[in-house]
Amino acid sequence: MSYEAYFESNREQHLDELKQWLSIPSISALSEHKGDMQKSAEWVADALKRAGLEQVEIHQTSGHPIVYAEHLHAPGKPTVLIYGHYDVQPVDPLHLWTTPPFEPDIREGKLYARGAADDKGQLFLHIKAIEAILKQEQKLPVNVKLIIEGEEEISSESLPPFLQANLDKLAADVILISDTHLLAPGKPAISTGLRGLCSLEVAVNTANTDLHSGTYGGGVPNALHALVALLATLHDDQGRVSVEGFYEGVPELSPLMREEFAKLKLDEDKLRAGLGLEALYGEEGFSFPERTGARPTLELNGVYGGFQGEGTKTVIPKEAHAKITCRLVGSQNPQDILDKIQRHLKAHIQPGAKLTVTPREKAFAFNIDPEHRMLQLAADAYETVYGTRALFTKDGGSIPIVELFSRLLSVPVVMMGFGLPDENLHAPNEHFNLENFDKGLLTIVEFLKRL
């Protein structure tokens, strides 16, 4: 039986199984779902056993469980380490969901549920692709290991120590991850880079209490004024970050990468109109895909302070706050960037205002040469199934564990995504297009066989 026929004949059963998994509310960020996290880990462990994987283990951590499995019966062949996560984002605001987030529903060729695309649905493809090969051929063309965690959505705190303690166990020739997306329907893509990340919170304090703006206005520092003036120093008029040394370690875009970005043929006017904007904005000299995929950023995520209620309150606030994140590229060091931003803020805070900076997340950027043989094989696999060769892109988001995998295990990471950009990841009505469910299964089989 061909793989197309096999997957078609088992499609309803496979989707029913995936719905079972999606019904488990494995929200890692909320402590009330700790039991659901264990239940989800047990579900995927059972699915791995049913698929024919061996040495299936659930490792308890100080956070949520890590699941491991393997099938090592291809001597002399490459070993593939497949990574995924079973935890999902919170579902708020609940009233914006058309159907309940943990009651999976198929509508118009799309499977709706929290986790459908990020990442249960995509990870499920790997399990069923392996199962299909074993049932069809009774052996795998390569050696396979799987590591599945439950903390990706909350920074993967338990995974690094697990990796460090199990380097020999996890040794492989290539790491395979499906947690990204295609460019558009029928247009596959392979990410050759993920931006790194650092974040911080800024607090500005002035007087020891809020003050009446009639009695004190014009004579004392205003925490909101001080904060807004301070934040305005972080960029110049051309959208470039003004922090001294911020761009150290940022590589120039190679002609090859600029060519790949150009192949995306992004209609920036259509993008602008779709977002309801009069103009796009960003660092001069770069296209939108280059700005969002290959250049570093410094963004304000929240600025707040003073009176927030209805009507007017004539007050001079004593404190103001901001949340800042930076996306990093190349060899930018997250701690170094945090240090530089803190020095900049201290140098530009106005007299009479006190500054407090609290660093938060840190993650390095990940990059891989698009000409690497493993990536070329992945592009070949996409072309066989989709009829179109995958383009090589850089993803503006961050998956911190990818860089750690690459660095600790010293192997290439192949990111073969099957989602689409508009599938509402982290938002209400998350869904997975079933066309890519079907083609994803065939593409993974093709890639494993090509290896």
Side-chain angles (χ1 to χ4, degrees), residues 194-213:
L194 297 165
R195 291 194 287 190
L197 176 73
C198 66
S199 64
L200 61 151
E201 295 182 16
V202 178
V204 171
N205 293 82
T206 49
N208 56 11
T209 185
D210 288 354
L211 299 170
H212 191 290
S213 66

Side-chain angles (χ1 to χ4, degrees), residues 200-206 222-236 240-243 298 300 303 319-324 340-358:
L200 61 151
E201 295 182 16
V202 178
V204 171
N205 293 82
T206 49
N222 180 314
L224 272 174
H225 290 185
L227 178 63
V228 170
L230 179 62
L231 298 178
T233 69
L234 292 170
H235 294 85
D236 65 18
R240 188 174 172 87
V241 178
S242 300
V243 174
L298 188 157
L300 306 180
V303 179
E319 63 181 58
H321 304 266
K323 295 178 183 289
I324 299 173
K340 288 172 177 174
I341 294 172
Q342 185 161 345
R343 285 196 295 270
H344 176 97
L345 294 173
K346 287 181 176 179
H348 290 82
I349 188 71
Q350 75 175 50
K354 298 180 287 291
L355 175 72
T356 303
V357 178
T358 305

Side-chain angles (χ1 to χ4, degrees), residues 1 18 130 132 155 167 234 273 284 300 348 360 366 375 388 398 404 408 438 440:
M1 182 186 298
L18 178 55
I130 292 169
S155 301
L167 291 177
L234 292 170
E284 284 191 349
L300 306 180
H348 290 82
R360 295 297 187 192
F366 165 77
L375 272 66
T388 301
S398 304
L404 186 65
L408 289 182
D438 298 331

